[in-house]
């Protein structure tokens, strides 16, 4: 509630006129840009008769495109310079959706580069699970660093944030840059290829699938290091490997191929979750000044990253590729709901900073944060009304009582 400064009351008669007209113009511009992008998306998909998309995929692309547009307008109208960089990072993150969109037309059986069988794999590991999680972690880490080290220069925050993000990313994704076909050279995949050859040969000769024990007996298997044979497995070891991989025969090999990639993306999601929790932990302990709706945006990213981690973990545990694909379809629909909520939170931030009271609040917060109390929006008031005693909530909602 912005009540501590007497100048606020001077602007009150103009909130509904100036702010309302500006917000209406911005809404129209954003809507026009969004409709134009959606028209291109839908028109190209329908005209080229691309079969690699669903309505859930189209909705995901649409919301991320909307988030990209909103972030650009936030950067343009953000009254505090240091806050612009926060939303520049998010704009870069959501811009990846345009590369994701074009990738629908690339690869085997697609309109472009159909003679490149590994191109879809490279896009998955370097773009979908590489660039996306690197940019996501960087945007979240930067916002956390901005809260932890408020007095640091912008370039210092970028150096620290980028260094941390690249450190984790490089540790988890180094094998993919050393060997672009790393996912096809893991021990599980190489053993699967060996067992699959014996499996098909047995079925062609006998007519019935062999057991795991039979496969272990008729197959010579090896130990591997970096895709190279290092030794021959003993019978007990062969039986153990055959039992572990038998459920993936004969057609569930994509699960084995993508399992390491899912695991590394899961670890990056956990990194993001850790820094979001650090963000809220620091807010609880120190109660630093923070712009309106920033906390809600971070909370929604916490939900989003948690859902990503759950989807990845569940897909890793599946054996059948069809079941893993179904999990992704369900997960994509759930993630779309969170994306829509994120779009709402970002739009509320844009609406707030383009209002007279919002611009004044943000400037006062940057210049003299002790002169104003925390902005409490309609969502905060709803939570207070439904779950708390309003008389006891005087300032921030989650500050330790002894600090009041």
């Amino acid at each position: 509630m912005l009540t501590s400064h007497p100048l606020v009351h001077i602007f009150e008669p103009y909130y509904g006129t100036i702010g309302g007209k500006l917000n209406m113009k911005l809404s129209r511009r954003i809507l026009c840009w969004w409709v134009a992008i959606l028209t291109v998306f839908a028109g190209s998909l329908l005209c080229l008769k691309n079969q690699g998309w669903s309505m859930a995929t189209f909705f995901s692309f649409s919301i991320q495109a909307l988030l990209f547009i909103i972030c650009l307008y936030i950067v343009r109208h953000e009254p505090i310079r240091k806050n612009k960089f926060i939303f520049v990072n998010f704009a870069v993150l959501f811009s990846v959706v345009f590369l994701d969109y074009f990738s629908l037309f690339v690869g085997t059986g697609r309109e472009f580069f159909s003679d490149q069988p590994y191109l879809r794999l490279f896009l998955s590991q370097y773009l979908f699970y590489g660039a996306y999680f690197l940019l996501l972690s960087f945007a979240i880490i930067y916002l956390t660093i901005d809260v932890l080290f408020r007095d640091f220069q912008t370039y210092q925050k970028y150096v620290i944030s980028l260094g941390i993000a690249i450190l984790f990313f490089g540790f988890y994704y180094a094998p993919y840059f050393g060997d672009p076909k790393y996912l096809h050279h893991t021990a599980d995949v190489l053993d699967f290829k060996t067992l699959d050859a014996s499996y098909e040969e047995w079925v062609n000769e006998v007519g019935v699938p062999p057991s795991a024990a039979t496969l272990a007996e008729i197959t010579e298997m090896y130990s591997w290091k970096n895709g190279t044979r290092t030794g021959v497995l003993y019978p007990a070891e062969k039986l153990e490997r055959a039992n572990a991989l038998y459920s993936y025969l004969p057609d569930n090999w994509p699960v084995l191929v993508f399992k390491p990639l899912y695991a590394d993306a899961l670890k990056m999601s956990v990194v993001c979750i850790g820094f979001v929790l650090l963000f809220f932990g620091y807010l609880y302990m120190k109660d630093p000044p923070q712009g309106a709706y920033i906390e809600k945006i971070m909370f929604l990213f916490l939900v989003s990253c948690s859902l990503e981690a759950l989807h990845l973990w569940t897909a890793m545990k599946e054996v059948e590729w069809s079941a893993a694909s179904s999990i992704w379809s369900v997960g994509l629909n759930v993630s779309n709901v969170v994306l829509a909520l994120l779009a709402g939170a970002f739009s509320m931030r844009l609406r707030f900073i383009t209002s007279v009271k919002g611009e004044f609040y943000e400037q006062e917060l940057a210049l003299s944060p002790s002169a104003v109390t925390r902005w409490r929006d309609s969502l905060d008031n709803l939570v207070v009304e439904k779950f708390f005693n309003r008389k006891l909530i005087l300032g921030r909602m989650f500050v330790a009582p002894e600090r009041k």
Side-chain angles (χ1 to χ4, degrees):
M1 291 178 295
L2 184 56
T3 56
S4 300
H5 204 290
L7 290 178
V8 177
H9 301 288
I10 298 177
F11 296 104
E12 284 184 350
Y14 305 98
Y15 290 166
T17 56
I18 301 176
K21 291 179 180 179
L22 181 59
N23 286 325
M24 185 63 67
K25 290 181 180 179
L26 282 178
S27 299
R28 290 174 180 172
R29 292 174 185 174
I30 291 173
L31 182 61
C32 288
W33 279 110
W34 191 40
V35 169
I37 292 175
L38 294 188
T39 302
V40 174
F41 279 4
S44 57
L45 288 172
L46 294 175
C47 291
L48 293 176
K49 298 180 180 179
N50 186 279
Q51 302 298 318
W53 64 281
S54 63
M55 287 304 299
T57 303
F58 181 76
F59 186 77
S60 177
F61 286 172
S62 303
I63 298 301
Q64 291 182 69
L66 177 60
L67 281 163
F68 171 73
I69 298 170
I70 294 173
C71 285
L72 290 183
Y73 275 96
I74 292 177
V75 172
R76 180 179 178 182
H77 293 280
E78 180 65 55
I80 308 302
R81 183 176 181 273
K82 79 176 190 66
N83 288 342
K84 289 179 180 289
F85 297 100
I86 295 174
F87 294 96
V88 166
N89 300 335
F90 285 125
V92 174
L93 169 64
F94 294 122
S95 68
V96 175
V97 69
F98 299 104
L99 297 177
D100 290 348
Y101 165 75
F102 286 115
S103 69
L104 289 176
F105 305 96
V106 172
T108 304
R110 308 302 174 95
E111 282 72 11
F112 305 106
F113 303 102
S114 58
D115 58 339
Q116 301 293 327
Y118 288 100
L119 190 54
R120 291 286 297 175
L121 175 68
F122 296 155
L123 288 174
S124 293
Q125 63 188 28
Y126 294 125
L127 180 60
F128 307 150
Y129 296 100
Y132 175 79
F133 280 100
L134 174 61
L135 294 173
L136 174 63
S137 61
F138 171 71
I140 291 175
I141 292 172
Y142 182 88
L143 184 48
T144 304
I145 295 299
D146 181 68
V147 172
L148 293 176
F149 305 104
R150 184 177 178 83
D151 297 328
F152 278 29
Q153 297 294 323
T154 299
Y155 79 90
Q156 294 174 315
K157 297 175 185 178
Y158 266 98
V159 169
I160 296 173
S161 304
L162 192 60
I164 295 174
I166 291 178
L167 179 65
F168 283 105
F169 179 79
F171 182 75
Y172 296 134
Y173 283 81
Y176 306 99
F177 293 94
D179 179 11
K181 298 180 182 178
Y182 164 75
L183 291 176
H184 282 274
H185 296 158
T186 61
D188 282 345
V189 172
L190 293 174
D191 284 342
F192 174 87
K193 291 179 180 179
T194 304
L195 291 171
D196 186 55
S198 298
Y199 184 94
E200 289 187 4
E201 184 179 353
W202 181 274
V203 171
N204 291 335
E205 292 180 0
V206 180
V208 295
S211 64
T214 301
L215 273 180
E217 291 178 4
I218 65 175
T219 306
E220 187 173 6
M221 301 181 68
Y222 309 92
S223 57
W224 306 90
K225 184 176 182 181
N226 298 327
T228 305
R229 296 177 183 176
T230 58
V232 179
L233 296 183
Y234 291 108
E237 296 172 320
K238 289 199 299 180
L239 180 59
E240 181 181 356
R241 293 296 294 157
N243 285 326
L245 299 174
Y246 187 78
S247 299
Y248 297 96
L249 294 167
D251 300 322
N252 295 314
W253 58 269
V255 179
L256 280 178
V257 171
F258 285 99
K259 183 179 289 187
L261 189 59
Y262 292 163
D264 294 326
L266 172 60
K267 294 170 186 175
M268 290 299 293
S269 296
V270 172
V271 171
C272 295
I273 293 171
F275 275 92
V276 174
L277 293 177
L278 176 60
F279 172 88
F280 282 110
Y282 188 79
L283 289 188
Y284 177 82
M285 296 300 296
K286 299 297 183 179
D287 191 25
Q290 190 64 40
Y293 298 104
I294 297 293
E295 297 166 5
K296 293 176 177 60
I297 290 172
M298 282 294 273
F299 176 76
L300 288 172
F301 272 111
L302 175 62
V303 176
S304 177
C305 292
S306 300
L307 288 173
E308 290 281 3
L310 178 61
H311 300 159
L312 290 164
W313 181 83
T314 307
M316 287 172 53
K317 296 301 179 181
E318 282 295 334
V319 174
E320 296 185 3
W321 178 244
S322 59
S325 300
S326 298
I327 289 173
W328 279 117
S329 297
V330 174
L332 182 59
N333 286 297
V334 177
S335 297
N336 285 340
V337 175
V338 181
L339 280 176
L341 294 175
L342 268 172
F346 276 92
S347 63
M348 286 190 289
R349 171 71 183 178
L350 177 60
R351 181 179 180 182
F352 182 76
I353 62 175
T354 53
S355 66
V356 176
K357 61 179 179 181
E359 183 178 358
F360 177 76
Y361 172 80
E362 294 291 330
Q363 291 176 348
E364 285 296 304
L365 195 64
L367 297 175
S368 55
S370 60
V372 295
T373 57
R374 178 184 183 273
W375 175 264
R376 183 180 294 167
D377 56 60
S378 57
L379 295 178
D380 292 332
N381 291 332
L382 178 63
V383 172
V384 171
E385 291 287 351
K386 298 297 182 181
F387 302 103
F388 294 93
N389 185 341
R390 188 179 184 88
K391 295 181 179 179
L392 298 178
I393 307 297
L394 302 177
R396 288 184 182 269
M397 291 176 57
F398 298 108
V399 178
E402 62 271 13
R403 293 183 56 82
K404 289 185 178 180

